[in-house]
Amino acid sequence: MAIQHVPAELPERIRHFIDGEFTDSLDGATFEVIDPVSNQAYLHAAAGKPADVDRAVAAARRAFEEGPWPGMLPRERARILYRIADIVETRNERLAELETFDTGLPITQSLGQAKRAAENFRFFADLIVAQADDTYKVPGKQVNYVNRKPKGVAGLITPWNTPFMLESWKLAPALASGCTVVLKPAEFTPLSAGLWPEIFREAGVPDGVFNIVNGLGEEAGDALVKHEDVRLISFTGESATGQTIFANAAPTLKGLSMELGGKSPAVVFADADLDAAIDSTVFGVFSLNGERCTAGSRILVERGIYDEFVRRYVERAENVRVGDPHDPATEVGALVHPEHYEKVAGYIEIGRTEAKLAAGGGRPEGLESGNYVRPTVFVDVPPTARIFQEEIFGPVVAITPFDSDEEALRLANDVKYGLAAYVWTSNLERAHTFGQRIEAGMVWLNSHNVRDLRTPFGGVKASGLGHEGGYRSLDFYSDQQAMHISLAPVHTPKFGA
């Protein structure tokens, strides 16, 4: 039986943070938060309802309309963002301990999250200082320029996989742009979000600029999406929830940016560097417990190397170490929640009826409790299989052979999703031409998911709406007002003269 490491000095309960103060729900409602190793509740969190969202949005609106934040010079906001980044880095070990306890991620993978979160703030601090907007001149007649203004109150709804880092990915550009925010963390993993209030206060963020409302998606999240004073919603999560948000945001015509589900292909051609491709495709689906939107969970392998690839891949998968998330030797920890564990286990049982199970397929020996799943490999998977078509979001991979470039492309695009893709080949022409034909928002050639923050992040088809990253994030959180100045008398038809 697994013994869970419990971090010292856990809070007694998780509360909302509104207008600079920690507060309970107005009706006193709470929900249980469990850890994924013992599946026991370790504390209660305030369960936000529409009334709590109203309070948070009102605070954010006051801070936007009456406070200094939107009117600060970019350099002033940048200095505060830099302080946030510096403070975040000092919380690295504490953050990793809380994140691993709350999510089940291996501690070695949680330890990198603070650095990545800090880099998000530094990046957008640099960007708002360097930002230049368009100016157009019509010689002797007119000058036109763009006046960029923050949009207002932003609702940020974040997922339970790597929650703190993904919160920073939304918070940094929203705050850099001059917006005020209401953050709704994932109900499965609200613990690390409780670090933000102290960090922001120490960095000098004014009260009301940053607010947290915890709670269930269908209550707190839904109220945030429907609120008429929330100008825009940035959401990361599953596609079905994204459809609901899309519909519920329509009456208020608010801006939406949504990064949704994925079923990303990794296409391995016979001329690929096989050692590198195996390293990357094993890491790409089993890191972060397989709970990653960009996981290469469908591996398409050219027939000439298929048998060798499968043999080596299965051997590696069977050697992946599953265990206590706090053990530095662990490579796959516990899935986030028993509900999600049941979903992943259910897909494994479905897969047994659709394809050949080559590795894994159940709970590891010696781990009779907790949300543990052995890294699971299905081979000879037909494209009609549910495990080929549907997002599992766990340490489960489907491997399928192909005989030609056209067949590989057809298989790669034969799903409703289009978030990421990976192409492995030593043929440079094929790498570009094939990669550009894949229906995916992001393609990596001979690499796993290594990101440049300047590039667009987002998907196509059922994988998302809009893009963030670099200037695209600032565009999302800003209104761009066109200003037109005449330089000479303007000829106007004299109606009614």
Side-chain angles (χ1 to χ4, degrees):
M1 179 177 178
I3 299 174
Q4 172 64 307
H5 167 85
V6 179
E9 299 179 3
L10 286 176
E12 293 182 2
R13 64 188 189 280
I14 292 175
R15 309 172 78 191
H16 309 309
F17 184 74
I18 298 175
D19 207 11
E21 295 183 354
F22 289 98
T23 179
D24 296 319
S25 294
L26 286 171
D27 65 359
T30 64
F31 63 94
E32 289 185 340
V33 183
I34 67 174
D35 77 78
V37 170
S38 72
N39 281 333
Q40 299 297 310
Y42 66 88
L43 52 68
H44 284 77
K49 304 291 175 58
D52 304 298
V53 171
D54 284 344
R55 281 197 299 161
V57 173
R61 182 175 176 178
R62 280 194 304 274
F64 185 79
E65 294 178 348
E66 303 171 16
W69 190 255
M72 285 183 177
L73 293 174
R75 177 68 71 185
E76 291 180 285
R77 284 202 299 271
R79 288 194 183 102
I80 293 176
L81 296 182
Y82 277 122
R83 288 201 290 268
I84 292 170
D86 291 342
I87 298 166
V88 165
E89 284 191 326
T90 69
R91 306 292 198 273
N92 182 46
E93 291 187 4
R94 177 63 172 172
L95 168 62
E97 185 182 34
L98 295 180
E99 205 86 308
T100 288
F101 176 71
D102 210 21
T103 67
L105 292 179
I107 188 67
T108 53
Q109 295 168 44
S110 294
L111 279 167
Q113 301 305 314
K115 183 176 181 180
R116 291 185 63 187
E119 180 57 26
N120 286 332
F121 281 95
R122 292 195 180 104
F123 174 81
F124 285 105
D126 289 340
L127 208 60
I128 57 168
V129 172
Q131 179 176 263
D133 284 309
D134 295 326
T135 302
Y136 304 99
K137 180 181 178 183
V138 181
K141 293 184 178 181
Q142 196 177 66
V143 169
N144 311 281
Y145 70 90
V146 173
N147 176 40
R148 184 180 294 265
K149 301 188 290 185
K151 283 189 175 179
V153 178
L156 311 179
I157 304 176
T158 50
W160 45 256
N161 58 325
T162 61
F164 189 87
M165 191 280 294
L166 289 175
E167 288 157 8
S168 76
W169 172 240
K170 299 180 187 298
L171 286 166
L175 296 176
S177 300
C179 290
T180 58
V181 304
V182 177
L183 170 67
K184 208 298 282 184
E187 55 262 38
F188 284 176
T189 57
L191 187 58
S192 62
L195 296 174
W196 289 118
E198 180 186 345
I199 291 169
F200 287 147
R201 181 176 288 156
E202 187 176 337
V205 177
D207 290 346
V209 170
F210 168 76
N211 306 273
I212 297 178
V213 177
N214 292 288
L216 307 182
E218 55 268 30
E219 293 177 346
D222 186 64
L224 192 59
V225 169
K226 293 177 177 176
H227 204 291
E228 62 181 9
D229 289 336
V230 174
R231 294 289 310 279
L232 64 168
I233 293 287
S234 177
F235 169 73
T236 299
E238 63 177 0
S239 299
T241 305
Q243 291 175 316
T244 301
I245 289 173
F246 196 111
N248 289 342
T252 52
L253 294 175
K254 53 175 53 72
L256 291 175
S257 176
M258 299 195 290
E259 186 238 305
L260 306 176
K263 192 70 177 176
S264 301
V267 185
V268 183
F269 288 96
D271 63 352
D273 179 336
L274 199 54
D275 291 336
I278 289 173
D279 286 344
S280 182
T281 52
V282 169
F283 178 83
V285 76
F286 297 134
S287 60
L288 302 181
N289 297 347
E291 298 165 328
R292 59 188 306 159
C293 52
T294 55
S297 55
R298 294 182 299 135
I299 305 178
L300 312 176
V301 184
E302 194 165 7
R303 184 84 62 180
I305 61 168
Y306 183 76
D307 289 343
E308 181 184 0
F309 183 93
V310 166
R311 176 182 60 79
R312 293 177 59 182
Y313 195 95
V314 167
E315 181 180 349
R316 289 283 294 275
E318 288 179 333
N319 287 330
V320 171
R321 180 162 178 172
V322 184
D324 175 8
H326 290 273
D327 183 345
T330 292
E331 295 169 317
V332 171
L335 300 187
V336 68
H337 193 277
E339 285 182 18
H340 187 58
Y341 173 85
E342 291 300 328
K343 172 191 172 183
V344 173
Y347 270 110
I348 291 173
E349 292 309 306
I350 291 169
R352 291 177 187 272
T353 70
E354 297 179 320
K356 178 183 176 183
L357 177 65
R363 180 181 291 279
E365 293 183 9
L367 295 172
E368 286 73 26
S369 64
N371 305 319
Y372 292 104
V373 174
R374 292 171 61 198
T376 298
V377 181
F378 288 100
V379 300
D380 304 339
V381 181
T384 54
R386 288 183 63 186
I387 60 169
F388 186 96
Q389 293 288 332
E390 299 175 16
E391 184 179 41
I392 300 173
F393 217 63
V396 182
V397 65
I399 306 181
T400 301
F402 66 85
D403 291 299
S404 67
D405 290 30
E406 288 304 314
E407 183 184 11
L409 185 66
R410 187 167 60 252
L411 290 170
N413 291 339
D414 186 27
V415 294
K416 68 179 181 179
Y417 298 104
L419 187 57
Y422 308 86
V423 178
W424 289 87
T425 178
S426 60
N427 183 320
L428 185 62
E429 180 181 345
R430 171 197 275 154
H432 286 281
T433 57
F434 186 91
Q436 290 173 16
R437 294 172 70 193
I438 295 177
E439 295 168 350
M442 300 168 286
V443 179
W444 279 269
L445 305 176
N446 298 323
S447 169
H448 59 273
N449 180 352
V450 179
R451 286 209 51 229
D452 184 322
L453 295 178
R454 295 170 294 183
T455 59
F457 188 94
V460 299
K461 301 196 292 188
S463 286
L465 177 71
H467 290 81
E468 295 187 47
Y471 284 113
R472 292 162 185 85
S473 290
L474 299 188
D475 287 345
F476 175 66
Y477 292 104
S478 304
D479 281 324
Q480 297 174 62
Q481 180 184 49
M483 299 290 294
H484 305 274
I485 304 98
S486 295
L487 300 179
V490 177
H491 171 71
T492 304
K494 298 183 181 297
F495 280 27

